[in-house]
Amino acid sequence: MATLIQSYEQQYSVLTADITAKISRLISCNEENRDQLSREILSNFEEANDLLEQLELESRSAGAGSRVGAYRVELLRVQDEYRAVVASHAAKYNIDNEIEDYEDWSGLADQQRMLLDNTERVERTGKTITEGYRLVLETEQIGAAVLQDLSVQRETIQRSRGRLRETDEQLNRSSRLLNSMVMRALQDRFVLSVVFVVLGGLGCLAIYFTVT
C-alpha cells in the first residue's frame, strides 16, 4: 500500500513538472503549436486530478497521513499560472477558442477549490472522530480499571467479613468456655462450703459428747 502511494506521488511530481515545462513553452510558442500544447496541458491537469483522487483514496485506505491537500494547493497554483498565460495570449491574439477553454477551466478550478475545501472539512471531521474514539477508549480503560479496583475491594471486604465471622465464632466459644469454668468454680465453692459446714457440725458434736 505504501509503495502504491509513493508511486502515485512520483507520478504526480513528474506530471506537474511536465505541465510547468509545457506552460513555459506555451509562452514562447507560435500560434500553430499553441492549440495542441494547450490541449495537452488541459489533459495533464485532468490526469493530475485523477492521480490526486487515487492518492487520497489509497491514503485513507492505508490510514496514513496524506499530503493531498498540499498537492491540490500546488496544482491550483500551476492552474493559475496557466490561466495567466492563456489570458495574456488571448488579449494579444484575440483567440476565442482559447478564451472558452480558459473559462471552462476557470469553472473547473472553482469546483476543484470546493473539492479541496470539502476534503479539508472531511479531514478535520476525521480527526475529530479519531480524537473522540481515542477519548472513548481512554474512558473505557479508566472504567475497566475502576471496575477492577472495585472487584479487588469487594474481595477484600468479603475476606474481612469471613475473618470477622471466624473471630465472632471464636469469641462465642471462648465465652461458653469461660461460663463453663465459672459454673465449675461456683460448684466447687459450694461443695467446699458444704464440706466446711459438715466438718463444723461434726466438730461441734465431738466437743458436746466430750464435755458430757
Side-chain angles (χ1 to χ4, degrees):
M1 190 70 70
T3 303
L4 185 58
I5 292 174
Q6 293 175 355
S7 175
Y8 285 148
E9 290 179 341
Q10 291 175 357
Q11 292 179 35
Y12 171 78
S13 299
V14 171
L15 188 57
T16 51
D18 185 40
I19 293 173
T20 302
K22 287 179 180 178
I23 292 174
S24 299
R25 288 165 51 195
L26 186 65
I27 297 174
S28 58
C29 71
N30 55 35
E31 184 177 356
E32 182 179 354
N33 297 327
R34 187 158 39 82
D35 292 339
Q36 178 64 29
L37 194 58
S38 294
R39 284 192 292 269
E40 291 179 1
I41 292 174
L42 292 174
S43 177
N44 291 149
F45 277 135
E46 293 178 359
E47 185 179 354
N49 280 314
D50 292 338
L51 275 175
L52 290 180
E53 291 178 0
Q54 295 176 0
L55 177 60
E56 185 174 8
L57 290 175
E58 292 297 333
S59 298
R60 289 182 180 178
S61 299
S66 174
R67 293 189 290 271
V68 175
Y71 291 151
R72 289 192 185 279
V73 172
E74 179 185 5
L75 186 61
L76 288 174
R77 180 188 60 77
V78 177
Q79 290 169 358
D80 289 338
E81 181 180 351
Y82 168 73
R83 286 197 298 271
V85 173
V86 171
S88 175
H89 278 282
K92 183 176 181 180
Y93 298 102
N94 194 20
I95 302 174
D96 295 335
N97 292 333
E98 199 71 39
I99 293 176
E100 291 177 358
D101 290 339
Y102 171 77
E103 291 176 350
D104 292 340
W105 186 253
S106 179
L108 181 60
D110 292 337
Q111 294 179 359
Q112 290 173 345
R113 286 193 178 91
M114 292 177 62
L115 179 60
L116 178 60
D117 293 338
N118 292 333
T119 301
E120 292 177 351
R121 283 195 293 269
V122 168
E123 290 178 353
R124 288 195 298 269
T125 303
K127 291 179 180 179
T128 303
I129 293 174
T130 302
E131 182 67 19
Y133 181 68
R134 184 182 63 81
L135 292 176
V136 169
L137 289 179
E138 291 179 356
T139 304
E140 183 179 358
Q141 292 175 355
I142 293 173
V146 170
L147 289 176
Q148 185 176 2
D149 291 339
L150 290 176
S151 178
V152 172
Q153 293 177 5
R154 180 181 178 183
E155 293 177 357
T156 303
I157 292 173
Q158 289 178 347
R159 288 195 298 268
S160 299
R161 286 180 178 177
R163 288 194 294 268
L164 183 61
R165 292 193 194 97
E166 293 177 357
T167 303
D168 189 42
E169 291 177 357
Q170 292 176 358
L171 289 174
N172 289 333
R173 287 196 296 269
S174 299
S175 179
R176 288 194 297 269
L177 180 61
L178 183 60
N179 290 333
S180 176
M181 293 174 64
V182 170
M183 290 298 296
R184 288 180 182 177
L186 292 175
Q187 290 175 358
D188 292 339
R189 291 181 63 182
F190 178 74
V191 170
L192 288 174
S193 297
V194 171
V195 169
F196 286 141
V197 170
V198 172
L199 290 176
L202 291 175
C204 291
L205 288 175
I207 293 170
Y208 174 75
F209 284 116
T210 301
V211 171
T212 58

